[in-house]
Amino acid sequence: MELIAATPLHAEVLAGMHRICFAEPWGPQAMIDLLAMPGAAGLIAVDGASLVPAAGPPGPAGLVLWRAAAGEAEILTIAVLPPWRRRGLGGRLVQAAADRAAAAGATVLFLEVDAGNRAGLALYGRRGFTAVGRRKGYYGGNDALIMRKDLDTTSSGS
Ligand SMILES: CC(C)(COP(=O)(O)OP(=O)(O)OC[C@H]1O[C@@H](n2cnc3c(N)ncnc32)[C@H](O)[C@@H]1OP(=O)(O)O)[C@@H](O)C(=O)NCCC(=O)NCCS
């Protein structure tokens, strides 16, 4: 599984994955606008043709978008397509975003997650995030948890 930099040319691919993974997905124009924000960047996990049996067909398998500015970073969205879930890809994407945000000068990484999203909460807890705030009724009735993690700025990461 290769991680490639997301660019505006990938807007349709990013939006297609978002549509599969979220009830209220972001469209191609939203992806273009996000990637145009100062400090914004993203990665797409691509499962290329390989002799090792893959979970799903060759092609995009997951995405992460983040923004780093003024020493702080935020994961804007992260998703793994269903056939590739529970294989460590979500964790790898979180780590890759954290490493790149740290390399861009961020010392702390934030994200927001639906308080009812068990997979998201488990993933972030395992990756060292702790809840630092709650927005009431943010996701159509569900609360949003704001989570943070201090970034290791002493190593270049994995
Ligand atoms: C959340 C998501 C990105 C996780 O991706 P993933 O590739 O399955 O994550 P990983 O395989 O790296 O899982 C890491 C750990 O998270 C936890 N986890 C992941 N999915 C889980 C689930 N459905 N239930 C419970 N724990 C889960 C486990 O502890 C897992 O480790 P384990 O498999 O060794 O037990 C994926 O489920 C997804 O895309 N969901 C829909 C979109 C979404 O909710 N994004 C996050 C919004 S903030």
Side-chain angles (χ1 to χ4, degrees), residues 67-74 101-102 104-110 148-151 153:
R67 185 180 183 191
E72 294 189 353
E74 181 188 7
T107 57
V108 60
L109 179 58
F110 290 94
R148 72 165 275 163
K149 172 188 163 84
D150 290 325
L151 294 178
T153 50

Side-chain angles (χ1 to χ4, degrees), residues 31-91:
M31 296 298 178
I32 290 169
D33 294 344
L34 281 177
L35 286 170
M37 293 192 308
L43 290 168
I44 300 172
V46 182
D47 198 358
S50 148
L51 293 177
V52 180
L63 70 115
V64 60
L65 301 181
W66 69 92
R67 185 180 183 191
E72 294 189 353
E74 181 188 7
I75 290 183
L76 302 169
T77 189
I78 179 168
V80 171
L81 293 182
W84 285 274
R85 288 181 189 165
R86 299 306 292 264
R87 291 165 170 257
L89 181 56

